[in-house]
């Protein structure tokens, strides 16, 4: 620990953002990185607290946070980068989009402001790329074992990199035309520009990972074909089944799932010929937009709609408004359920809580208005119960309704059904030591956990890779057919 009194000398300095009037007219990232001198002081605030809850309970990938904070304080950036990459395959991504449960668990959070852990992580990762310290790590020898990974989100990519470095031949299948899963198509560029993903993929390709985009496994390739061609299979398809809106008018034109909306815009930025007008376009310009759902995905829809030139943006949430500041129901070091305002909300959004959508008005097949009411939450004998508040019905104009109410579970059609996998009560894949009910078939990420954070997916991908490696090292080699030709399978 370089400065034992740093947390007393230096106040927390938050990351700045580009001005609202500037950033809403482009799709570039909005953060303004802190200068190295300020970052040095922020790292000095880490107090070497003996039991680092940031590491023990706050960080799913178990980043050794006090260690890399101290290294940054002492100017040992190369060592800090090595330390960070030893636990996290993609710190440049988590340093941008992770909500930072590590900071909530920081000991300083008990009665002060936490260390700026997330931004320090971001700066370490960016320094590593700038100094060309991020290089391919190739295995000393190959094992001759082949692993198929289905899905190229954070869980699949983390597992692929780990398994490839252990010497296995890894092929990642992705149904979309580009690699990255929801990292690429579900997160707006103003939070994660896609060249950030591409430069990491270049490292993985150089290490030996094979990527097969535009292959829908379960349709283009069957489960039986996979089992005949690979020694192990990892399902990392995410939780792709969105929660639907079940009210009159929900099937009208102009009502769309959030991921369909965000995907279209990400494709436009990538240069794809996606229209902004016409029946296939999901676009907010000059429209009254209502976003149903108060989480991060809903916030991303808000920022996207504002940049597209929406006439108005309203975000509604069925749960009650969280308390400001501390919440005694979620004490330190738990992730606090408190009122949060994202950078997208700062750009011009009206937010309402405890609102239940009751119906949508439709004219000529297209949505025109949303009808809702306020609700109250009462603790009953079976837990919290929701009741409508009499006399609170209201109607708002709605030309575009975006459903950001979360995801139910992994898609069951296709591989899950073909393998006959055991599912839990929520529809997630059941695993034991990351293996499903079918030997040799593993699963990780949101397919197992349900919709969660990128950092949880990375951790599960790493853990699943370790389990697959151990299984491959103990399981006798089985005869396999000739390697499946993806080109002919489509």
């Amino acid at each position: 620990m370089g400065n034992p009194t740093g947390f007393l000398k230096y106040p927390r300095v938050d990351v700045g953002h580009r001005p609202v009037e500037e950033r809403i007219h482009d799709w570039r990232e909005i953060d303004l990185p802190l200068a190295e001198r300020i970052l040095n002081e922020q790292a000095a605030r880490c107090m070497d607290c003996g039991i680092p809850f940031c590491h023990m309970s706050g960080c799913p990938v178990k980043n050794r946070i006090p260690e890399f904070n101290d290294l940054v304080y002492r100017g040992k950036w190369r060592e800090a980068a090595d330390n960070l990459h030893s636990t996290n395959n993609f710190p440049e991504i988590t340093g941008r989009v992770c909500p930072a449960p590590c900071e909530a668990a920081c000991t300083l959070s008990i009665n002060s402001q936490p260390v700026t852990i997330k931004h320090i992580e971001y700066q370490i990762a960016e320094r590593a790329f700038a100094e060309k310290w991020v290089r391919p790590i190739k295995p000393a020898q190959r094992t001759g074992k082949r692993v198929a990974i289905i899905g190229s989100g954070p869980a699949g990519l983390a597992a692929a990199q780990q398994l490839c470095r252990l010497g296995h031949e890894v092929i990642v299948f992705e149904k979309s035309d580009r690699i990255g899963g929801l990292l690429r198509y579900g997160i707006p560029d103003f939070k994660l520009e896609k060249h950030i993903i591409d430069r990491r993929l270049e490292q993985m390709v150089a290490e030996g990972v094979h990527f097969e985009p535009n292959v829908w496994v379960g349709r283009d390739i069957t489960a039986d074909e996979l089992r005949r061609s690979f020694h192990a299979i990892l399902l990392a398809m995410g939780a792709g089944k969105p929660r639907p809106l079940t009210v009159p008018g929900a099937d009208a034109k102009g009502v769309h799932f959030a991921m369909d909306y965000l995907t279209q815009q990400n494709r436009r930025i990538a240069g794809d010929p996606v229209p902004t007008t016409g029946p296939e376009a999901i676009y907010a310009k000059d429209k009254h937009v209502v976003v149903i759902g108060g989480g991060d995905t809903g916030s991303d829809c808000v920022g996207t709609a504002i940049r597209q030139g929406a006439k108005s943006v309203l975000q509604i949430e069925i749960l009650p408004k969280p308390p400001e500041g501390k919440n005694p129901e979620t004490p330190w070091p738990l992730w606090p359920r408190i009122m949060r305002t994202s950078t997208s909300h700062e750009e011009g959004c009206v937010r309402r809580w405890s609102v239940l959508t009751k119906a949508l008005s439709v004219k000529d097949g297209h949505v025109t208005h949303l009808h809702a009411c306020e609700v109250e939450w009462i603790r009953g004998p079976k837990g919290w119960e929701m009741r409508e508040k009499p006399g609170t019905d209201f109607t708002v104009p709605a030309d575009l309704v975006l459903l950001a109410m979360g995801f139910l579970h992994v898609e069951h059609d296709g591989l899950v059904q073909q393998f006959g996998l055991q599912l839990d009560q929520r529809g997630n894949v059941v695993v034991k030591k990351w293996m499903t009910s079918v030997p040799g078939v593993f699963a990780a990420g949101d397919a197992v956990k349900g919709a969660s954070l990128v950092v949880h997916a990375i951790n599960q991908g790493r853990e699943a890779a370790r389990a697959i490696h151990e299984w491959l090292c103990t399981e006798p080699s089985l005869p396999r057919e000739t390697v499946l030709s993806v080109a002919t399978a489509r």
Side-chain angles (χ1 to χ4, degrees):
M1 182 181 183
N3 191 333
T5 59
F7 69 99
L8 298 173
K9 293 180 179 179
Y10 308 116
R12 175 182 169 100
V13 177
D14 285 312
V15 179
H17 308 295
R18 294 193 291 126
V20 170
E21 59 273 15
E22 171 190 310
R23 70 192 195 223
I24 62 173
H25 297 295
D26 62 54
W27 298 92
R28 293 182 290 109
E29 291 183 6
I30 68 173
D31 287 354
L32 297 174
L34 297 176
E36 186 170 341
R37 178 188 61 81
I38 298 176
L39 201 71
N40 176 276
E41 294 175 352
Q42 295 304 294
R45 298 185 70 238
C46 187
M47 57 192 298
D48 195 19
C49 52
I51 300 177
F53 284 87
C54 59
H55 160 79
M56 298 295 293
S57 64
C59 181
V61 294
K62 299 296 183 287
N63 283 339
R64 303 202 296 272
I65 295 165
E67 295 179 18
F68 69 62
N69 280 337
D70 181 55
L71 290 167
V72 168
Y73 170 73
R74 292 189 284 137
K76 296 188 175 183
W77 287 86
R78 179 66 181 266
E79 291 88 340
D82 291 342
N83 182 295
L84 182 55
H85 279 94
S86 71
T87 57
N88 187 350
N89 297 73
F90 316 120
E92 70 281 5
I93 293 175
T94 54
R96 285 173 163 84
V97 303
C98 181
C102 54
E103 294 189 14
C106 175
T107 301
L108 284 175
S109 290
I110 297 176
N111 62 352
S112 182
Q113 294 297 310
V115 176
T116 55
I117 301 168
K118 175 181 174 179
H119 188 64
I120 292 172
E121 177 178 336
Y122 162 90
Q123 292 257 30
I124 294 171
E126 288 305 308
R127 183 73 167 262
F129 275 101
E131 299 288 349
K132 301 189 185 307
W133 297 331
V134 178
R135 297 181 178 179
I137 301 175
K138 298 182 180 181
Q141 60 183 13
R142 292 291 178 180
T143 64
K145 300 294 180 69
R146 306 182 73 244
V147 182
I149 296 180
I150 318 305
S152 67
L157 292 179
Q161 188 166 58
Q162 295 298 102
L163 287 165
C164 184
R165 290 174 175 178
L166 289 167
H168 306 297
E169 183 183 354
V170 179
I171 300 180
V172 179
F173 296 98
E174 168 59 53
K175 66 180 181 181
S176 297
D177 57 345
R178 295 183 180 90
I179 300 298
L182 290 186
L183 292 176
R184 185 173 297 278
Y185 288 125
I187 301 177
D189 271 44
F190 56 80
K191 290 174 64 175
L192 176 64
E193 293 184 32
K194 302 311 179 282
H195 68 87
I196 302 300
I197 302 172
D198 294 335
R199 68 184 182 186
R200 183 63 76 173
L201 294 178
E202 290 176 5
Q203 179 201 29
M204 295 178 65
V205 170
E207 290 175 346
V209 178
H210 302 279
F211 292 107
E212 289 287 352
N214 270 327
V215 178
W216 193 318
V217 181
R219 187 180 65 185
D220 301 330
I221 301 172
T222 67
D224 287 341
E225 289 173 321
L226 277 182
R227 298 200 71 190
R228 291 197 300 266
S229 301
F230 294 91
H231 296 88
I233 301 161
L234 175 64
L235 307 182
M237 300 101 70
K241 188 71 172 179
R243 189 183 306 279
L245 180 66
T246 55
V247 300
D251 58 348
K253 296 177 181 178
V255 182
H256 302 275
F257 287 115
M259 280 302 150
D260 295 335
Y261 174 63
L262 296 174
T263 295
Q264 274 204 7
Q265 183 55 37
N266 279 318
R267 288 188 178 279
R268 290 187 189 98
I269 297 173
D272 292 351
V274 180
T276 58
T277 59
E280 302 301 320
I282 312 174
Y283 205 69
K285 185 174 177 58
D286 297 329
K287 294 179 180 178
H288 294 289
V289 179
V290 179
V291 179
I292 304 178
D296 288 340
T297 301
S299 171
D300 292 345
C301 290
V302 168
T304 301
I306 290 171
R307 282 162 177 77
Q308 289 179 348
K311 186 177 296 185
S312 68
V313 182
L314 169 66
Q315 185 179 23
I316 59 176
E317 167 59 53
I318 196 170
L319 295 175
K321 183 178 180 179
E324 303 277 354
K326 300 288 184 179
N327 184 348
E329 294 186 359
T330 53
W332 177 90
L334 300 177
W335 175 251
R337 185 180 177 276
I338 58 176
M339 175 65 179
R340 303 177 192 278
T341 300
S342 74
T343 54
S344 292
H345 295 140
E346 296 171 351
E347 294 166 357
C349 168
V350 175
R351 305 168 72 188
R352 296 187 64 170
W353 290 265
S354 297
V355 170
L356 172 68
T357 302
K358 300 179 72 173
L360 300 175
S361 288
V362 182
K363 182 179 180 180
D364 298 328
H366 201 284
V367 63
T368 61
H369 292 82
L370 179 141
H371 306 279
C373 70
E374 295 181 5
V375 297
E376 57 184 349
W377 291 86
I378 301 173
R379 192 185 297 273
K382 297 182 180 180
W384 288 100
E385 299 176 359
M386 182 187 70
R387 299 178 185 175
E388 294 187 21
K389 295 175 67 173
T392 63
D393 288 56
F394 66 92
T395 298
V396 294
D399 306 307
L400 176 61
V401 177
L402 301 173
L403 309 180
M405 303 177 294
F407 296 85
L408 297 174
H409 47 66
V410 64
E411 291 280 3
H412 295 165
D413 293 341
L415 278 185
V416 171
Q417 289 183 348
Q418 290 176 18
F419 279 123
L421 301 180
Q422 180 184 352
L423 304 174
D424 63 18
Q425 293 181 340
R426 298 177 59 190
N428 300 319
V429 177
V430 173
V431 295
K432 184 176 182 181
K433 294 183 178 180
W434 306 107
M435 189 183 291
T436 69
S437 53
V438 177
V441 179
F442 297 77
D446 290 0
V448 172
K449 187 178 179 62
S452 188
L453 305 177
V454 168
V455 71
H456 278 295
I458 293 172
N459 176 60
Q460 290 203 5
R462 291 171 62 91
E463 293 294 326
R466 181 181 293 110
I468 292 169
H469 176 66
E470 292 174 354
W471 185 77
L472 289 174
C473 289
T474 57
E475 192 72 9
S477 295
L478 301 175
R480 300 282 165 172
E481 293 186 358
T482 303
V483 174
L484 167 66
S485 171
V486 176
T488 58
R490 284 183 237 172

